Amino acid sequence: MAEKIEHPSSSSSSPCASCKLLRRRCTESCVLAPFFPPNEPQRYIEAHRVFGASNIIKMLEGIPMEMRADAVNSMVYEAKARQRDPVYGCAGIVWNLHQQLTKSQAEKAILQAQLNGAVPSTSIANQQLLKLQGENAILQAQLNGATTAAFIANENNKEELLKPQSETRDPL
């Protein structure tokens, strides 16, 4: 039971937000009109800045009609995320949420171990906490001017990257 999407120009003389911004005539066959109504121009402007009109149209034409509204919502969300964080966009949001989840799980495990009277020094919770502390130190180093290589370093060389520079340099 697909809901019929009515073209805004059929009920009023105002063009959709896309046609209004691009200063073109909004026709009955306008692909963007159902998703970018004239009363929400900012929504289209955000998506247009990141993806461009032709790319939005190409993406929508490659998607079944019943999924287009969700696709447009995703594009607008990604565009907003890209404006806030041009490098990582939504991936940065997901990464931050994953970090928060990992930290919360480690804290929960430590508290659970304390409630059970276990010694946390050899527990999985303590290992997770140490891992988080190492990742936090690498992020701090990156914020203080370290290279991107430090950010993506694997577990084997994290300890080497965290040593003070005077220890890691070869004597002359």
Side-chain angles (χ1 to χ4, degrees), residues 5 14 22 32 39 57 59 62 69 72 81 84-85 88 95 109 111-112 137 150 157 160 170:
I5 300 172
S14 180
L22 299 174
L32 302 175
N39 59 347
I57 291 169
M59 285 188 265
V72 168
R84 277 185 263 129
D85 185 357
Y88 295 109
W95 186 82
L111 291 173
Q112 190 68 39
N157 63 4
E160 186 68 29
D170 291 330

Side-chain angles (χ1 to χ4, degrees), residues 92-143:
I93 294 169
V94 170
W95 186 82
N96 284 331
L97 291 173
H98 178 71
Q99 290 301 104
Q100 289 175 9
L101 179 64
T102 304
K103 183 179 177 184
S104 296
Q105 288 172 338
E107 289 173 2
K108 178 186 171 199
I110 289 171
L111 291 173
Q112 190 68 39
Q114 288 174 351
L115 285 174
N116 294 336
V119 179
S121 62
T122 58
S123 70
I124 295 172
N126 200 31
Q127 292 172 0
Q128 288 178 337
L129 186 60
L130 289 174
K131 180 181 175 187
L132 283 173
Q133 288 171 343
E135 290 172 357
N136 189 23
I138 288 174
L139 290 173
Q140 287 297 332
Q142 184 186 19
L143 289 173

Side-chain angles (χ1 to χ4, degrees), residues 15 19 22-27 30:
C19 293
L22 299 174
R23 297 180 184 187
R24 62 182 181 195
R25 187 165 186 259
C26 194
T27 64
C30 181

